[in-house]
Amino acid sequence: MAISLAPAALERARRFVESTPGALGIRFGVERTGCSGWGYMVDIAHEERPGDTVSEHGGIRIYVDATSQPMVDGTEIDFAQKGLNHEFVFRNPNAAAECGCGESFTTDADKAA
C-alpha cells in the first residue's frame, strides 16, 4: 500500500496526532456518500482494527481498512488553504471521476456495477 502525505498534510497530521492523547496515527478511508458514491474520511486512529493495513510516512502511521484499501492505494494526501477554509486534498489514481464539488469520487469498478 502506498499512501503518501505531502509536506503540509504531514505537518497537519503530526500536530493532530501529537495533541491527541492515545493517538496511534491517522485513519484514512472511504465511506458511501456524496453524489459520486465515495467520500474520503480522515480521522485520528486510536486503535488498530482487524483487517487494517498500516503504513508509515514521515513518522506518521496511516491505518486503512480492508474495504477502502483498493480504492485509496497510491493516494497522495495534501493540505491546502482555499479562501478562508483549510482542507485535506486527495490525489487518488483510482478515482475515475469526481463530483463537481470534489467531495466524492467513483472508481472504474463502480462504473461497471
Side-chain angles (χ1 to χ4, degrees):
M1 179 181 77
I3 305 297
S4 61
L5 299 168
L10 180 61
E11 178 58 31
R12 186 68 166 192
R14 185 172 284 122
R15 280 191 276 153
F16 280 140
V17 170
E18 290 174 354
S19 67
T20 305
L24 301 176
I26 62 169
R27 179 162 297 283
F28 176 54
V30 297
E31 58 187 6
R32 284 267 181 207
T33 188
C35 49
S36 289
W38 296 104
Y40 296 105
M41 176 204 65
V42 179
D43 202 355
I44 296 293
H46 292 283
E47 64 186 3
E48 184 171 341
R49 299 175 185 162
D52 277 353
T53 300
V54 184
S55 64
E56 190 171 312
H57 186 93
I60 297 295
R61 288 189 178 145
I62 305 166
Y63 296 78
V64 179
D65 66 88
T67 302
S68 299
Q69 197 278 330
M71 289 181 273
V72 299
D73 191 27
T75 298
E76 179 189 44
I77 304 172
D78 203 351
F79 190 75
Q81 181 175 350
K82 294 181 179 180
L84 297 175
N85 297 319
H86 294 81
E87 62 187 8
F88 285 107
V89 178
F90 308 95
R91 294 180 193 93
N92 183 350
N94 304 298
E98 295 179 343
C99 68
C101 64
E103 293 293 320
S104 61
F105 71 99
T106 189
T107 65
D108 285 333
D110 294 322
K111 289 180 176 182

